[in-house]
């Protein structure tokens, strides 16, 4: 089996945008060309990858997506690494960090720091847009962050996790909390300022963690103000909150770079 990376790129873009026409506009193709790319990929693999109404990956498409995303990122990393090897050293180092990794990055960086979403940090380092990246994630103490092959990583910091609760909350005086006891609580969906709710669901292997409020900013002080006002709970790194006892997770910051 030989899969054309261009077809994989088209497939991942259609899935991300949920639309053939939107993918065509982003990639600079006609909608007919996008449809042909998907048809060729499905013919090559012998399975249906996308349902059309609505546009969404099938079970086989989900499996391909798991492979396609790191494969494409690995190709981007290889291109960037080859170009870097043939180029003179940069006059300045471009550094990026995810919001919850920015404080650790600021302690080590001289000059400008770009604060962007986690996925943008990883992709930017892989493609050579950023020379160094600082990215965060929640993992078991013995596990690494799940990063694409081709990007090298080293641990910068680890912090315990706490549950941020409003004053007077019935659980605020507890010495520790179990995450699976909070599945049905009201949460603030703040993927760039707190532990993403999807990560909490994966940690306990359960649905739930219903978002009562959405916050799309990156300022943890604003997020804590929302918690204090009773808009929902949040899991954060640090010490200002009730410690999360189980599962045994830590918030880790890692430094990324190409080889």
């Amino acid at each position: 089996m030989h899969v054309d990376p261009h077809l994989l790129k088209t497939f991942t873009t259609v899935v991300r945008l949920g639309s053939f026409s939107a993918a065509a506009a982003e990639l600079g193709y006609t909608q007919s060309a996008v449809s042909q790319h998907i048809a060729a990929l499905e013919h090559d693999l012998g399975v249906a990858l996308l349902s059309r109404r609505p546009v969404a990956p099938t079970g086989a498409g989900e499996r391909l997506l798991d492979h396609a995303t790191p494969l494409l990122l690995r190709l981007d990393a290889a291109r960037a690494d080859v170009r870097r090897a043939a180029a003179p050293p940069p006059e300045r180092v471009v550094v990026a960090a995810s919001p919850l990794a920015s404080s650790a990055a600021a302690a080590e960086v001289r000059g400008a720091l770009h604060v962007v979403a986690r996925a943008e940090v990883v992709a930017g380092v892989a493609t050579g847009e950023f020379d160094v990246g600082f990215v965060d994630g929640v993992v078991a103490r013995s596990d690494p962050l799940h990063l694409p092959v081709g990007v090298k990583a080293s641990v910068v910091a680890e912090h315990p996790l706490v549950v941020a609760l409003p004053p007077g909350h019935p659980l605020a005086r507890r010495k520790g909390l179990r995450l699976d006891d909070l599945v049905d609580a009201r949460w603030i969906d703040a993927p760039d300022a707190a532990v993403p709710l999807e990560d909490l669901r994966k940690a306990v292997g359960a649905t739930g963690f219903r978002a009562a409020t959405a916050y799309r900013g990156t300022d943890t002080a604003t997020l804590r103000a929302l918690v204090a006002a009773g808009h929902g709970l949040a899991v954060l790194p640090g010490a200002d909150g009730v410690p999360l006892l189980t599962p045994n997770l830590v918030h880790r910051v890692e430094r990324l770079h190409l080889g």
Side-chain angles (χ1 to χ4, degrees), residues 52-160:
R52 268 40 176 196
R53 294 182 183 275
V55 175
T58 63
E62 291 281 5
R63 295 295 293 272
L64 178 61
L65 192 65
D66 289 341
H67 294 286
T69 301
L71 281 172
L72 291 171
L73 204 53
R74 177 66 186 271
L75 287 173
D76 287 340
R79 294 189 190 99
D81 201 27
V82 170
R83 289 195 299 266
R84 186 187 298 268
E91 294 183 2
R92 63 188 182 91
V93 177
V94 181
V95 182
S98 56
L100 289 181
S102 59
S103 58
E108 299 195 16
V109 172
R110 299 280 185 248
L113 174 65
H114 301 265
V115 179
V116 297
R118 294 175 181 88
E120 292 181 50
V121 176
V122 178
V125 172
T127 58
E129 179 183 0
F130 306 129
D131 298 298
V132 180
F134 292 81
V135 69
D136 72 291
V138 173
V139 291
R141 290 185 182 276
S142 59
D143 290 346
L145 294 183
H146 298 293
L147 299 170
V149 177
V151 176
K152 298 184 181 296
S154 57
V155 176
V156 174
E158 282 188 356
H159 303 100

Side-chain angles (χ1 to χ4, degrees), residues 7-27:
L7 303 186
L8 287 179
K9 177 68 172 178
T10 300
F11 169 71
T12 59
T13 304
V14 171
V15 172
R16 175 167 54 83
L17 298 177
S19 165
F20 280 66
S21 59
E26 180 172 305
L27 296 170

Side-chain angles (χ1 to χ4, degrees), residues 232-251:
L233 312 184
V235 173
L236 296 162
D240 189 9
V242 180
L244 183 65
L245 300 182
T246 61
N248 189 15
L249 302 174
V250 294
H251 178 261

